[in-house]
Structures are given as structure tokens and as C-alpha cells.
Amino acid sequence: MGKVAIITGGGRGIGAATARLAAQRGYAVCVNYLENRAAADAVVAEIARGGGKALAVAADVSSESDVVRLFETVDQSLGRVTALVNNAGTLEKQMRLDQMDAARLTRAFAVNVIGSFLCAREAVRRMSTRHGGKGGAIVNVSSGAARLGSPNEYVDYAACKGAIDTMTIGLAHEVAAEGIRVNAVRPGYIHTEFHALGGEPGRVDRVKQQVPMKRGGRPEEVANAIVWLLSDEASFSTGTFIDVTGGR
Ligand code: NAP
């Protein structure tokens, strides 16, 4: 059976590093993105240059119809999905909880939580032996923030990642006997453009002294853990977590 991976938010940062590595490991890769088509196309072109197969698909993971279309596109173009990386995520300007309004909270949970649930649903419908599938693996990209809570920055975002951790455990147990493994990675402070969303592009350099290893991480270091959890080398691991945080 061909290996087919969907990487949500695969155009930039951790998702792009994961897409490149998955392609090197023989997956046909769907590089999902929200709006930065040029970045997603560049990842696809790089994979093609290396002899791999990849496809960029625009879809907002918080939109149910977009997610359904994303998976149907992959069915038709690459074949039945065998690996899902729930990587797309977002955050908003740093602020205290006592400043947050309902609209902000709704946006955060729609992308970070509901988006991952919808993608997981579509993956399970295709992978589960209960639905005639042949199994597969899901990796959720959580965050060290799920443990730390991100006080004074984005407690909403951290709480979304806490929800993802709980979903990882619950779904893992739900589908463990149906050929699907579900695990998560918790990145720490990683050098990507993500921090600009919070209004502080240089955040990693400010906070890195709190990290026992005294540095931020690289997207490739997170991708290594994600792709290992997807692989058969992790065949007896489900409902578990790898922290890629430099010790914090
Ligand atoms: P990034 O460089 O900002 O990339 C985010 C990617 O997600 C982009 O490809 C973006 O698409 C896509 N995306 C955003 N909203 C989306 C939506 N609604 N639907 C589909 N795609 C969407 O971020 P990153 O640092 O690689 O973060 C990736 C994941 O790691 C996130 O879940 C984040 O919470 C988690 N994480 C990051 C860090 C860190 O320090 N960087 C730490 C812990 C956890 P466009 O390119 O089209 O904008």
C-alpha cells in the first residue's frame, strides 16, 4: 500500500519541515495551507526536485466543508491517506486573559481544536478497519504550552493545546484496535514565523534562557519526532507524547 500523508499547515515552519522529511521517507505528501500559496508551492517543488510526489491544497482546517474537500482531493489525487499530521495552528496578539473577548477565543478554538478534530474525523473514516480501511497513524502537534499555560501571553492558545493532548489520549484509545495509532509532539520554543502572530517575531531569543539547553529549536528537530511517530518504528506507541523542548 502506498504511503500518503496529509500535513496541515505544511507550507511553512514545522509543517514544511515535516512535509520534506515525510517525502524523503517515501510518502506522497499533501501540503495543506491557508493562504500562502507561494510557500506551499515551494515545498511541493522542492519535493518534486528530490524525486518525490506532493500536492499543495488550500483549505481552512476550521471550515468543515474545506476539510471534507481537502480529504476528497487527496483521495482522488494521491490515494487513501495513511498518515495525518494535525499541524496547522494559530495564535493572536499577546494579552492577559482579562483582555480576551469571545471572538478571539472562538477563532483560537476553531482552528487549533475543531480543525484538528475535523481532520482526525476524516482520517479515521478512511484509515479505520471498522470503516474498511487498512490502518494508519495520526500525529497531533500540541505544544509545551499545554503544560506551561502561557501566562501573560496566550492562555487561550495554551488551553487549545491542552484540549489537543486530551483528544490524543481519547482518540488513541478509541481507535487502537482499528489499526490507527494516535500520538502527539509538544514542541517548545521553535524558530518559525509563528511568533510574529503574537506580535513578537523575536520571542524565541527572549525566552531561550529559560530553556535548559539555552536555545530555541529548529523545525527539523520537531519534524524528526513527528515522522518517527508516523513510522513503523513507533508501532507499539499510541496515546503518547514526545516533548521537543530542549528540556523545558
Ligand atoms: P508557522 O510557521 O506560522 O506555520 C503555520 C502553518 O499553518 C502555515 O502553513 C499556515 O498556512 C498554516 N495555517 C494557519 N492557520 C491555518 C488554517 N486555519 N488552516 C490551514 N492551515 C493553516 O507555524 P509553526 O511554528 O510551524 O507552527 C506549527 C504548529 O506547531 C502549530 O500547531 C503551533 O501551534 C505548533 N507549535 C509551534 C511552536 C513554535 O515555537 N513555533 C511551539 C509549539 C507548538 P499559510 O502558510 O497559508 O499561512
Side-chain angles (χ1 to χ4, degrees), residues 8-16 31-37 39-40 57-63 66 86-91 110-112 115-116 141-145 157 161 185-197 203-204 217 219 222 226 244:
T8 67
R12 293 188 291 122
I14 292 167
V31 177
N32 158 253
Y33 66 100
L34 179 62
E35 56 190 8
N36 192 335
R37 180 174 177 174
V57 180
D60 181 345
V61 297
S62 69
S63 158
D66 275 20
N86 267 322
N87 167 78
T90 195
L91 52 70
V111 175
N112 296 318
S116 294
V141 180
S142 171
S143 173
Y157 167 81
K161 296 301 189 181
V185 297
R186 291 195 199 100
Y189 307 126
I190 310 299
H191 288 285
T192 73
E193 293 164 355
F194 197 60
H195 307 281
L197 295 170
R203 175 172 174 263
V204 175
V222 184
I226 293 171
V244 187

